[in-house]
Amino acid sequence: MTDDFHALPTDDSHADDLDGLEDGQLLHLNGADLYVEAVGLTGEDSDTPVVFLHGGPGYNSLSFRALFGERLEGMGRPVVYLDQRGSGRSGALEDTEQGADTLDLDTLVADLEALRAELGVNQLIPLGHGFGALIALEYARRHPTRAARAVVVNPWVHFPELAYTLLEEASAQRGVEVEDPAERVRAETPNGQYAPIGEARVEAAFELLNARDLLNTMQFRDPASRMHLEFTDAEGQLTGGGAVQEALVNQGLWEFEYPPFLQELRRPVFVIAGVHDRTSYPGQVGWVADLGGGEVTVLDAGHYPWLDDEDAFAEALEEALTR
């Protein structure tokens, strides 16, 4: 608990403060300035808000609210959009009290818990997309009394495996055989040290095909969806995220294997997967289904299913929030 973690007043001024969040505010929580937009919060504990956790890492929540917010807000629950620390409209990572070199999953989960307390709600429903799914799942594992359930969209949970998937696709695009550097890296790593296999795989993949082209090929159902998202991003005029990615990679992101922790989940988990998102489906989704007991709905969509079939995604999400 930090000095910034404080109880909200119990009078009507609390409700007024929450109303002001609809247009977005910076809240200083857990040592960071976090950008938050909240719709439908009254300060009462009767409604459990959905908190959207964007992917990237280092992206933002702007495009999701712009493209799908009206549908989500029409489902009868309060909705909170959070730009994670160092991302989007939140303060720069280097300006946080923890600094730019200490970003990890523990910190991101602590940020979410600090936000819950600040909003004055007993529980929340984390809705995590891509990398954000990792935060949603770990929050539900670590705070089972605070997470009513966890909903994840095209999750990433096993990063060495994801790195190999990227390498396979890059090799296929270049028409060459897959050369997995895992054996070489293990041989070169001193005894007692962890072999950075995931990072080596990613580097090999991006040497074959640049990151942007590779991810576009693997994540989008068609060029129209990609262009729609890029247009929305351009309108938002938000850039950056590189510092967040660099900090997480320096903390060993590409070596992180979350599946063992999935077995410790004690809250309901719902997965929405896009069959055209080869970064997540079927491999990453399978981990959450098999070890986390996640109930999976597969859509004819890519990494951003609200772009490809808004109605189908809305139906799947509403079912995940109410089932």
Side-chain angles (χ1 to χ4, degrees), residues 39-124:
V39 181
L41 281 174
T42 63
E44 301 172 356
D45 293 333
S46 57
D47 294 326
T48 301
V50 176
V51 180
F52 177 68
L53 301 167
H54 61 77
Y59 190 43
N60 59 75
S61 62
L62 185 148
S63 67
F64 180 75
R65 185 179 186 188
L67 294 168
F68 191 74
E70 186 174 349
R71 292 292 295 267
L72 178 56
E73 293 156 22
M75 293 182 187
R77 291 182 180 273
V79 182
V80 180
Y81 305 92
L82 168 67
D83 283 3
Q84 296 151 33
R85 66 166 56 207
S87 304
R89 295 151 290 184
S90 289
L93 193 59
E94 63 184 11
D95 294 333
T96 63
E97 294 175 12
Q98 293 85 351
D101 299 325
T102 58
L103 184 61
D104 53 25
L105 183 59
D106 291 344
T107 303
L108 294 170
V109 169
D111 288 349
L112 183 54
E113 173 59 6
L115 175 62
R116 180 205 61 78
E118 181 75 4
L119 296 177
V121 296
N122 285 330
Q123 286 190 319
L124 53 80

Side-chain angles (χ1 to χ4, degrees), residues 23-36:
D23 295 326
Q25 290 184 19
L26 282 174
L27 302 179
H28 192 68
L29 302 171
N30 193 33
D33 290 329
L34 304 179
Y35 181 84
V36 178

